[in-house]
Each structure stands twice: as C-alpha cells, then as structure tokens.
Amino acid sequence: MKMEGLSFDNVPAIHIPFRFFNTAPWMGLFAAVILFFSGAEAFDSQWTPQLLAITHLLTLGFMVMVMFGALFQLLPVISGITIPKARVIAPLIHIALVLGVALLVVGFLRFQYHLFFYALPLLVAAFVFFLVALGSRLRHNIRGGDSIYVIRFAALSLMVTIVLGVVRVLTYLGYNDFFVIQSITNLHLGWGLAGWSLLVVMGVSYQVIPMFHITPCYSKKITKTVPALLFFCLLGLSFIQGEVLSKMLIIIICLVMAFYATYSLFLLSKRKRKIRDLTVYFWRLAFICLGGGAFLLAINQFFELSGRFNTTLGVLAIYGFFISVIMGMLLKIIPFLTYLHLQRQCMTRYELLPSLPNMREIISENQAVWQFRLHVISLLLLLFCTVFSQAASIAGLAMLLDFMWLGISVTKASKLYYQHSRRIINTAPVVCDS
Amino acid sequence: MSTILGLMKQNHRECDELFSSAEDAASTGDWVKAKADWAAFTDELEQHITVKEEGILFPAIESVNGPMGPTQMMRAEHEQMRALVLQIDAAVAAQDTQKYLGLSETLMMLMQQHNMKEEQILYPMIDQFVPNGAQLLQETV
C-alpha cells in the first residue's frame, strides 16, 4: 500500500461543503416559486418552459449542488486522499454552478435561448473542474472499497450526461441540423438520473446505511453487479436503435432499480439501531418511490400510458427518490459537520468540549419531523398535480415550505457554528483551526 | 488465517450492537437496562481503543514505521470519543433522555467515521507491516 499522500487529518474546511449546502435549498425554493406562479399551465406537457426551469433548478440547483458539496466532504474521508486545491476549486465550481443554473432557468422561462450561450460555458466549467479534481484521484488505486468503485461509474455517467446536455443546448442555439432531439433528451435524462445521480446515491448508501443504522452490509456481489448492470444497460441504450431491444434494456434497468430498492428496504428492516431516526424515514420513502417509479416505467414498455405519465415518473424519481435521500442525509451530515469542526477547534482545550452543542441541538428532532411531514405533503400534492394540474399552485406552496424549512435549518446550523467557533477562539489560548 | 482487519472489524460491530441496545433502552426510559447496557458498551470500547489499539496495535506498527500521522490522529479521535462518553455517563446518571439521545447520535457518527478510516486504511496497513499482528492481538487479549 502506498503511504505517501495519506493523511487522516484530511477533513475539508467547513466552508467547502457548507457553501453548497447553504445554496441548494434556495434553488429548490425558486423552483417552488415558479410552480406557484405558473399554476396548472406548468403541467401541460413535460416540455413546458416552466417545468424545464423547475426540473433544472431541482436537478442542477439542488441535487448536483448538494452532491458536489457532499463528494468534496466524503471522498477525502473514505479514501484517505484529499482532493487537490479544494479550497480554491470548490468556491469557483460553486459560483459557476449558481450562475450557470440561473442563466439556464431565465433562458427557459423567458424563451431567451441566447442566454444558454453564457450558461453553457459556466456549467461545463463547473462540471469539468469537478471531474478533473475528482478524476485526478479516481484514476489511482485508492482505498474506499465499494463506494469508490460505484463513484467511478458515476463519474463516467456524469461525463456522458454533460456531453448530451451540451448537444441539447446547441440545438436550442440553432445548431440542430445533425441531432435527433427527442432521443438525445431521453438519453440525457437517463444518464443524468439513472446513471450519475442513482450511482452516487448507491455508492453512498452502501457505506452509510449499514454504518449509521447498524444494518447488515450490502452483499459484495450486489454492490459490484448492480452498478455495472445499470451502467452497461445505459451504454447499450445509447447505441442500440431497435425498439424491442431498447425496451428490453429499459426493463432490465427497471428490474435492477426495483431490486436495489427492495433489497435496501429489506436491510433497513433488519437494522439493529431501533431508535426513531428521520433519516431512515427519508430512505424508506425514497426506496418506495424508486420501486414505484421502476414499476411504472416497466409497465409503460408494454402499454403506452398517457403523456402525463412522464411527469409522474419525473416527480417520483426527482422529488420522491433523489430529493428525499438528499434531505435525509443533510439532516445527519449538517449537524455532524458542525459538531466535528467545532470539536477539532477544541483539540487543545478539551475542557471546552462539553460546552459544544450536540447534533440534536444543532438540528432538533422536531425540525427533522416537520421536514419529513412537509416533504411527504409536497410529494403527494406534486403527484396529484400530474393527474389534476389545477392543484399546481397549492403543490408549489407546499414545496416552498419544504425547501424553506430546509434552508432555515441549514442557515441556523451555520450560524450556530460561527457563534461557537468565535466563542472558542475567544476563550482558547491556542487554537488549532481545521 | 485471522487478520487484524477481520478481528477488529468484528469488534467494531460488537461495540455497535451494545451501543444500540443501550440507546434503545434510554429512548424508552428503561434506565435500569440503559445503565447496564451503557456500562457494557463503555467496557468494550475501552478494551478496544485502550488495550487493543493504543496498547498493542499502534505501538506495533510504530515500531516498524516510526511515529506516524494516522496513529496520532486516531489517538486524538479516541480522546474526543472519551470526552463524549463522559458526557453520556452524566446523562445516564441524570436519566436525561433528550441529552442522552443528542450525545449518543453525535458519538455514533464520530465512531463510525473513525471506524471507517481504521477499516479502510489503518488496519490493512497494520496487516501489511505487522504480519504477526493478529496473533499478537489474540495472545494478549
């Protein structure tokens, strides 16, 4: 084993993950505002400008934002190797992502597609910087077990998603002579959601579900087979033209997703840590939505369901699965990072440790319970809207409360961190800042 | 053949189970059971970090490689865990459920990220550099 470059003291500075976590909920809130004001019109088809704006605020603005922050945090801890220049790169990626998403969203809403011309380089820069920083480490034979194995597939899927996204944007900018738009969009969606996003969630779940909830470990065979199957089915779909073969591959993807969801629910049912934990509630909700989504998608391969079906599927996947997982994880990660960084400031002053807020004093259980309630209500209303779009404004309002509640929790935690950090600096004679 | 990774990983899981059992009892207000289970957990934890790691394994690898950053870092994290254990001792004595659960959640996360670093990096390293480590551990404990 290589020893050089290996350090256990490699928890990234708190501002790196927190700048992403503090931005994400407000991106979700903007999506909710758009839904609130556009009402039923948003659900006319899956291609309405409002729905495209909402989808990209949720996927890029919320999901990718948190995933970037979390990966900057997680990789050094699980692999023992720091992402190079994270202190410089992370803020640049963050700004590029925020501006890129903002321009993209305004472009969709106002039909000002020329804005994509500016959004494109910003978003591509954010992703390329991230992938280069990540890739420079993933190429090496580093530790980190199953999670790193999955994250490699995820990183490759992200590359494909970006390329397809760029091609799609070029068609908006008028370079549409060479591309078959519909299939590119579907592949972009497939690689982005079933590839990059699902694989990142898988990689994280293999590690954190057994660890935080004391469940049996995911079987080695499954952790290796499931991501590879997903990846290669997506690869097949990208090249195969025949309808029957494509449908078969989609059905295999659905079976893989349903299996992963059911197996994870089974592991959670075996958990030895029995106390009430809202993160478990979020995981369960997420896996139910993933299983439901996979079922619907499979059914659609046999019977052509109505046009609204794609929107229902999108809500189940994005709001029901991904955002649920992310919210559940944030409820744990944010209080923990706050505590961890404060604790490290007390390394030379152990007597100050008892004065630090514990995790439930940073985000209370009550806050977490309300987060879950608001999320379930918004999810149900959004699903309802995909059938009866008249309720769109009410769903928008519920969504707004959901993200606002999360935003307030993250902001409060950050404020608490800086309050205590200042207190420690003012009382400790020697400070080891992390 | 036993490895350090195998033996110590198994011991982590045993600690987790004792920890969960105590936490479960505290959450339902069964303080008699909580107190007993918590004591069983802290005994096992001390055995793990003080006797096995700081007493046997860390000195063994340091005798081969010289003083190392990772073992120093692990010792510092042990101190942080001990500080939280003391706080939970007080919550058990005061039978304060809210305090207990807030602190136990914090200790849980701290232990798990610590265990992950040991299992992914440190134990395999000790297995590599101290070939008779597992035997040493089994003989001494």
Side-chain angles (χ1 to χ4, degrees):
Chain A
M1 185 190 300
K2 284 183 180 166
M3 302 274 285
E4 66 269 26
L6 189 66
S7 157
F8 277 6
D9 189 18
N10 48 17
V11 178
I14 196 165
H15 69 83
I16 293 176
F18 266 37
R19 72 178 62 236
F20 291 96
F21 298 162
N22 267 300
T23 315
W26 309 110
M27 291 281 190
L29 188 126
F30 280 127
V33 171
I34 294 169
L35 183 60
F36 179 76
F37 284 109
S38 50
E41 204 186 305
F43 286 96
D44 280 350
S45 89
Q46 58 173 322
W47 309 117
T48 62
Q50 295 95 329
L51 212 52
L52 284 170
I54 291 169
T55 308
H56 285 87
L57 274 168
L58 293 179
T59 50
L60 291 173
F62 185 79
M63 284 164 50
V64 169
M65 189 73 74
V66 177
M67 284 171 172
F68 275 8
L71 284 175
F72 267 114
Q73 173 65 38
L74 190 72
L75 281 176
V77 179
I78 59 174
S79 66
I81 288 168
T82 323
I83 294 180
K85 306 249 186 309
R87 270 173 186 274
V88 184
I89 290 174
L92 287 176
I93 291 176
H94 174 254
I95 290 172
L97 190 58
V98 171
L99 291 177
V101 173
L103 287 168
L104 195 67
V105 167
V106 175
F108 277 128
L109 285 178
R110 301 262 167 208
F111 301 99
Q112 291 179 347
Y113 297 136
H114 66 274
L115 288 178
F116 292 174
F117 189 73
Y118 305 101
L120 191 66
L122 285 166
L123 290 172
V124 169
F127 282 111
V128 168
F129 263 114
F130 179 76
L131 278 168
V132 168
L134 185 72
S136 68
R137 289 297 169 233
L138 291 183
R139 278 187 300 112
H140 300 295
N141 184 21
I142 53 172
R143 296 249 151 211
D146 301 333
S147 288
I148 295 291
Y149 167 82
V150 186
I151 285 168
R152 282 198 179 105
F153 279 121
L156 288 174
S157 306
L158 179 59
M159 282 186 224
V160 181
T161 312
I162 298 164
V163 171
L164 292 169
V166 170
V167 169
R168 189 70 187 86
V169 167
L170 288 177
T171 62
Y172 273 106
L173 291 173
Y175 305 96
N176 53 358
D177 301 343
F178 315 105
F179 311 120
V180 187
I181 296 171
Q182 196 69 25
S183 71
I184 295 245
T185 307
N186 285 338
L187 283 176
H188 172 67
L189 265 168
W191 280 102
L193 294 178
W196 151 251
S197 306
L198 181 56
L199 288 169
V200 169
V201 170
M202 269 183 192
V204 170
S205 69
Y206 292 164
Q207 199 85 48
V208 303
I209 289 184
M211 202 163 91
F212 295 156
H213 310 297
I214 320 293
T215 70
C217 287
Y218 280 81
S219 129
K220 280 269 175 215
K221 275 186 194 153
I222 289 169
T223 56
K224 295 275 183 216
T225 320
V226 164
L229 253 176
L230 257 183
F231 183 85
F232 289 109
C233 282
L234 282 169
L235 207 60
L237 270 178
S238 310
F239 292 104
I240 284 165
Q241 295 295 329
E243 199 192 331
V244 178
L245 215 53
S246 296
K247 283 192 170 187
M248 272 172 62
L249 284 173
I250 294 176
I251 289 168
I252 296 174
I253 291 178
C254 292
L255 287 173
V256 171
M257 291 196 291
F259 172 75
Y260 164 68
T262 316
Y263 182 60
S264 303
L265 281 170
F266 166 74
L267 290 181
L268 278 171
S269 75
K270 296 270 171 210
R271 74 190 187 113
K272 290 209 168 111
R273 197 171 179 222
K274 297 258 189 272
I275 57 154
R276 181 164 81 155
D277 186 337
L278 270 296
T279 302
V280 174
Y281 288 26
F282 273 109
W283 274 119
R284 285 196 176 128
L285 175 68
F287 288 130
I288 291 167
C289 290
L290 180 66
F295 178 73
L296 271 185
L297 184 60
I299 293 285
N300 193 48
Q301 305 311 309
F302 298 104
F303 315 99
E304 286 292 325
L305 300 175
S306 83
R308 290 268 171 93
F309 157 82
N310 283 328
T311 321
T312 313
L313 203 60
V315 171
L316 274 175
I318 295 172
Y319 214 82
F321 180 67
F322 292 114
I323 296 182
S324 300
V325 169
I326 289 172
M327 283 190 174
M329 290 309 300
L330 284 178
L331 291 178
K332 277 219 184 300
I333 294 173
I334 286 170
F336 178 64
L337 288 182
T338 307
Y339 180 84
L340 185 71
H341 282 269
L342 287 174
Q343 193 200 43
R344 292 162 72 87
Q345 286 190 315
C346 297
M347 289 278 252
T348 53
R349 294 290 302 270
Y350 279 109
E351 73 277 11
L352 289 175
L353 284 176
S355 70
L356 299 183
N358 67 50
M359 279 178 62
R360 286 194 178 194
E361 286 162 348
I362 297 166
I363 292 184
S364 71
E365 197 188 20
N366 205 24
Q367 272 170 283
V369 169
W370 274 103
Q371 189 69 66
F372 186 71
R373 284 179 186 157
L374 288 170
H375 190 64
V376 172
I377 293 168
S378 333
L379 173 64
L380 291 176
L381 281 170
L382 281 170
L383 286 173
F384 183 74
C385 281
T386 61
V387 187
F388 302 101
S389 53
Q390 294 85 343
S393 292
I394 301 171
L397 195 63
M399 220 172 118
L400 186 133
L401 292 175
D402 192 13
F403 282 112
M404 190 152 76
W405 192 256
L406 182 69
I408 291 170
S409 295
V410 185
T411 312
K412 272 169 80 177
S414 309
K415 267 176 82 176
L416 203 64
Y417 168 78
Y418 286 107
Q419 275 170 10
H420 280 274
S421 178
R422 267 199 302 276
R423 181 177 61 82
I424 295 165
I425 290 167
N426 289 336
T427 45
V430 186
V431 176
C432 293
D433 199 357
S434 47
Chain B
M1 203 186 79
S2 307
T3 57
I4 297 286
L5 177 63
L7 292 169
M8 296 300 275
K9 202 171 170 179
Q10 177 59 29
N11 199 209
H12 280 163
R13 301 293 96 84
E14 287 157 8
C15 286
D16 288 345
E17 288 181 23
L18 291 170
F19 174 91
S20 301
S21 174
E23 195 182 39
D24 195 29
S27 75
T28 56
D30 184 351
W31 286 103
V32 177
K33 187 173 186 307
K35 204 174 167 183
D37 288 353
W38 176 250
F41 164 74
T42 50
D43 285 350
E44 193 62 45
L45 180 73
E46 271 308 305
Q47 178 77 7
H48 183 91
I49 63 178
T50 312
V51 179
K52 294 178 185 171
E53 292 182 341
E54 294 175 4
I56 303 167
L57 297 177
F58 294 177
I61 186 157
E62 282 163 349
S63 70
V64 182
N65 276 353
M68 294 165 52
T71 44
Q72 290 307 334
M73 192 63 204
M74 293 295 99
R75 283 195 182 91
E77 290 190 5
H78 288 169
E79 282 309 315
Q80 294 165 351
M81 285 182 215
R82 289 185 179 110
L84 268 173
V85 166
L86 285 180
Q87 282 181 267
I88 299 178
D89 283 345
V92 174
Q95 304 197 347
D96 184 340
T97 308
Q98 281 316 308
K99 198 83 187 164
Y100 184 105
L101 293 178
L103 290 165
S104 69
E105 175 76 7
T106 316
L107 177 60
M108 179 72 191
M109 294 283 287
L110 201 64
M111 278 194 309
Q112 295 302 335
Q113 59 99 34
H114 175 83
N115 292 354
M116 185 159 69
K117 288 188 274 196
E118 289 183 337
E119 291 173 18
Q120 306 273 17
I121 301 162
L122 190 63
Y123 296 154
M125 200 191 277
I126 304 179
D127 272 322
Q128 190 184 347
F129 289 102
V130 189
N132 65 338
Q135 199 188 347
L136 204 67
L137 196 67
Q138 282 168 321
E139 279 168 8
T140 323
V141 180

